[in-house]
DNA sequence: GACATATACTTGACTTATCAATGATTATTC
DNA sequence: GAATAATCATTGATAAGTCAAGTATATGTC
């Protein structure tokens, strides 16, 4: 008889959690951006000089290089982000936060924080229960 | 100065983890199924009578109803799953595990378990560190 | 210093999922 | 019990991301 191991159980819960989360985060649409756009803005805002190589963004965000190209395209068009070149290596292209982008990020941050706290209430974190329990609980309670 | 709260940090990590996981799980493609197909088979296999209503599947898996329709379509064509009706309520339609579906599930289970253990090594679970640490660690280490 | 290999990014074709609208059935309310 | 509202599922149009192939540049080797 085949049973399910614990890691697999976790991953199955994760899948659902993530699906629900990214849909909740469409609340950011008020600011004209989606979850991944927000992530991009956040990463750039933290990066030195407000810029990162596209490959780095891909790696940090969990998308492929082509996914990044397609994600950044509209952000460049709306002027949240701009392109930069590397003097030493002509292959690389930077994504750079614009002033407009920074503004949008700062406007969206409170919404994003509120949504997050709604999904993962602070009390869960304070208790710091074992991961397994938390994820399973989330999987069961999340809407 | 705007800082990031802990829940938001977690969710940003989760997003990446999930993106990576579902790509890793395409290793199940050897069995001719994807991550969500596997999830469906798993849920049906556990359900009494090997069947579930389509809305229930949607809810459990974190997809919309239309997502389920489109996910099940090819699975019905390849005969992993079949349709059932409800005698009392003509609106509902069941997804039911076929013999072939059960076989594929059992074949895929070991692969799925192996992939999961690879992503979340057992030692992490044994230590049961606070969620935050685990997720952040994962977000940093996952490939 | 030419040739093979590797890296960074983009593009075309495709997959997967969403949303909004629709059809069909059931439940509620007056 | 007719009218209204709610629920289940599917469909057309579209968005977001993948993969494989292609272009351009860098690096390593002989």
């Amino acid at each position: 008889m085949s049973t399910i191991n614990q890691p697999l159980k976790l991953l199955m819960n994760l899948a659902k959690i993530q699906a629900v989360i990214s849909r909740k985060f469409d609340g950011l649409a008020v600011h004209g951006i989606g979850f991944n756009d927000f992530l991009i803005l956040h990463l750039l805002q933290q990066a030195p000089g407000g810029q990162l190589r596209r490959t780095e963004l891909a790696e940090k965000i969990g998308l492929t290089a082509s996914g990044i190209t397609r994600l950044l395209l509209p952000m460049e068009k709306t002027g949240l982000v701009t392109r930069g070149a590397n003097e030493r290596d002509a292959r690389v292209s930077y994504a750079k936060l614009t002033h407009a982008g920074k503004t949008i990020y700062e406007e969206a941050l409170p919404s994003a924080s509120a949504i997050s706290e709604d999904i993962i209430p602070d009390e869960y974190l304070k208790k710091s229960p074992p991961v397994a329990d938390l994820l399973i609980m989330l999987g069961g309670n999340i809407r």
Side-chain angles (χ1 to χ4, degrees), chain A residues 39 43 47 52 54-63 68:
Chain A
L39 247 52
L43 290 172
L52 281 173
R54 297 161 107 81
T55 20
E56 270 180 276
L57 280 176
E59 200 277 328
K60 282 180 196 262
I61 236 179
L63 291 188
I68 291 295

Side-chain angles (χ1 to χ4, degrees), chain A residues 3-4 28 41 43 55 68 71 73 78 84 88 103 108 110 113 117-118 126 128 130-131 135 138 142-143:
Chain A
T3 23
I4 292 288
L28 292 181
L41 294 180
L43 290 172
T55 20
I68 291 295
L71 181 53
L73 212 77
T78 52
R88 301 253 180 94
T103 304
S113 300
E117 272 169 11
D118 183 49
K126 286 200 186 109
S128 275
V131 213
L135 293 184
L138 274 179
I142 219 165
R143 285 277 151 257

